[in-house]
């Protein structure tokens, strides 16, 4: 039973990180119908920004909680700036172009950002400092759940709750929902659609950067390629839950995380990806729109 609970928390931790990344995919797709394939690289840039910020703040001798908070702010702000820039340069000029054009632009931006960090940093794995201190109350359960796991679960839950409140009750959130539902009608109602799309990229990028910081502190190392596999897994989670649905992205992320954890624990780590993508194939066969997605009907 202890081993089962350990795998359960491991799966929830994975799912929380996937959810923070998948929300960016599903929000952008819901707004403009585009898969932002550069999103994984934004996650990676957030992790590298956190590494640089944490190193500088450690030299200054700040206490660990202050380093964690300031590092998170630096990573989120810097990654949000990257997300805004990517939207302005790679996607906005192609807003009225055929759907294939922004898709190619997204892939190109992903490759550019990955190689940019490769040249600016190093191809080797870099050690990431532990920014989350051990909690004394968790010592009896250290074999089951660690302080970083608990922090990831709590922070992710709070952030996702705040995002839901933002979208549901704020003026910006209502404008985002209106733009996602009918962009032309939103324009007629006086909504600045370009601004809303930029805000969506900024929010999604900030969430991905936060996920990058948390998982890097948990794993203890990063390199330039971490964004690729994390982006693919998060995109899989978004499709699994229903691309364009925020609750679907969260649900799909936790299902994917738990599937990987139990497959690794009870079968073999070699089959982790096999189980994850097999689950995706089965869901898409029997429910093509995803678990919480809605099938679109084209009227002729």
């Amino acid at each position: 039973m202890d081993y089962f609970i350990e795998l359960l928390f491991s799966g929830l931790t994975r799912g929380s990180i996937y959810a923070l990344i998948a929300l960016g995919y599903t929000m952008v797709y819901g707004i403009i119908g585009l898969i932002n394939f550069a999103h994984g690289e934004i996650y990676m840039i957030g992790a590298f920004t956190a590494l640089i910020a944490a190193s500088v703040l450690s030299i200054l001798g700040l206490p660990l909680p202050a380093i964690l908070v300031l590092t998170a702010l630096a990573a989120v702000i810097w990654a949000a700036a990257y997300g805004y820039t990517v939207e302005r340069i790679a996607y906005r000029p192609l807003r009225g172009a055929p759907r294939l054009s922004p898709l190619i632009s997204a892939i190109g931006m992903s490759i550019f950002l990955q190689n940019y960090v490769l040249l600016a940093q190093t191809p080797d794995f870099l050690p990431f400092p532990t920014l989350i201190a051990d909690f004394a109350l968790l010592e009896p359960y250290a074999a089951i759940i660690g302080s970083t796991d608990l922090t990831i679960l709590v922070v992710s839950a709070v952030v996702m709750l705040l995002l839901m409140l933002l979208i549901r009750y704020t003026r910006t959130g209502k404008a985002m929902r209106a733009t996602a539902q009918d962009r032309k009608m939103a324009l007629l109602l006086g909504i600045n659609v370009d601004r809303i799309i930029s805000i969506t990229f900024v929010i999604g990028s900030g969430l991905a950067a936060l996920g990058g910081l948390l998982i890097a502190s948990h794993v203890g190392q990063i390199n330039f390629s971490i964004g690729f596999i994390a982006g693919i897994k998060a995109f899989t989670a978004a499709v699994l839950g229903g691309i364009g649905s925020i609750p679907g992205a969260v649900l799909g992320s936790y299902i994917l995380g738990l599937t990987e954890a139990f497959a690794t624990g009870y079968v073999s780590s070699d089959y982790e990806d096999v189980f994850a993508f097999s689950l995706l194939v089965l869901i898409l066969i029997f429910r093509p729109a995803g678990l919480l997605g809605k099938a679109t009907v084209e009227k002729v």
Side-chain angles (χ1 to χ4, degrees), residues 51-236:
L51 174 61
I52 296 170
S55 301
V56 172
L57 293 172
S58 298
I59 294 173
L60 296 176
L62 294 179
L64 197 59
I67 293 176
L68 177 60
V69 172
L70 293 175
T71 297
L73 287 173
V76 168
I77 293 172
W78 192 248
Y82 264 91
Y84 176 80
T85 304
V86 166
E87 190 274 329
R88 289 297 301 265
I89 294 175
Y91 303 136
R92 185 174 296 188
L94 300 174
R95 194 71 48 80
R99 295 179 66 87
L100 187 61
S101 298
L103 176 63
I104 295 173
S105 180
I107 296 173
M109 184 57 67
S110 172
I111 296 172
F112 170 78
L113 290 176
Q114 190 175 123
N115 284 274
Y116 159 69
V117 175
L118 169 63
L119 295 173
Q121 298 294 328
T122 172
D124 301 324
F125 276 91
L126 296 174
F128 196 96
T130 301
L131 300 179
I132 302 170
D134 293 331
F135 301 147
L137 61 92
L138 291 179
E139 284 185 6
Y141 315 101
I144 297 176
I145 180 171
S147 57
T148 54
D149 297 283
L150 181 61
T151 302
I152 289 172
L153 292 175
V154 172
V155 171
S156 300
V158 170
V159 168
M160 287 185 281
L161 177 61
L162 291 175
L163 177 64
M164 294 293 291
L165 293 175
L166 169 73
I167 293 175
R168 190 173 185 87
Y169 296 109
T170 66
R171 187 181 184 90
T172 299
K174 293 175 182 178
M176 291 169 67
R177 285 187 285 141
T179 304
Q181 187 173 10
D182 192 324
R183 195 188 312 173
K184 291 182 178 179
M185 183 58 70
L187 281 168
L188 292 174
L189 292 174
I191 295 174
N192 188 336
V193 170
D194 287 335
R195 176 174 169 271
I196 294 301
I197 293 173
S198 295
I199 290 174
T200 303
F201 272 84
V202 165
I203 293 174
S205 299
L207 293 177
L210 184 60
L213 162 64
L214 292 173
I215 197 63
S217 183
H218 179 66
V219 175
Q221 61 180 5
I222 59 172
N223 85 329
F224 76 98
S225 64
I226 62 171
F228 176 75
I229 187 63
I232 292 295
K233 292 290 185 66
F235 173 65
T236 300

Side-chain angles (χ1 to χ4, degrees), residues 276-299:
F277 290 106
S278 297
L279 176 64
L280 174 66
V281 170
L282 289 174
I283 291 295
L284 292 181
I285 289 175
F286 295 103
R287 192 172 176 80
L291 293 174
L292 299 183
K294 296 180 180 179
T296 57
V297 179
E298 291 189 11
K299 297 181 180 180

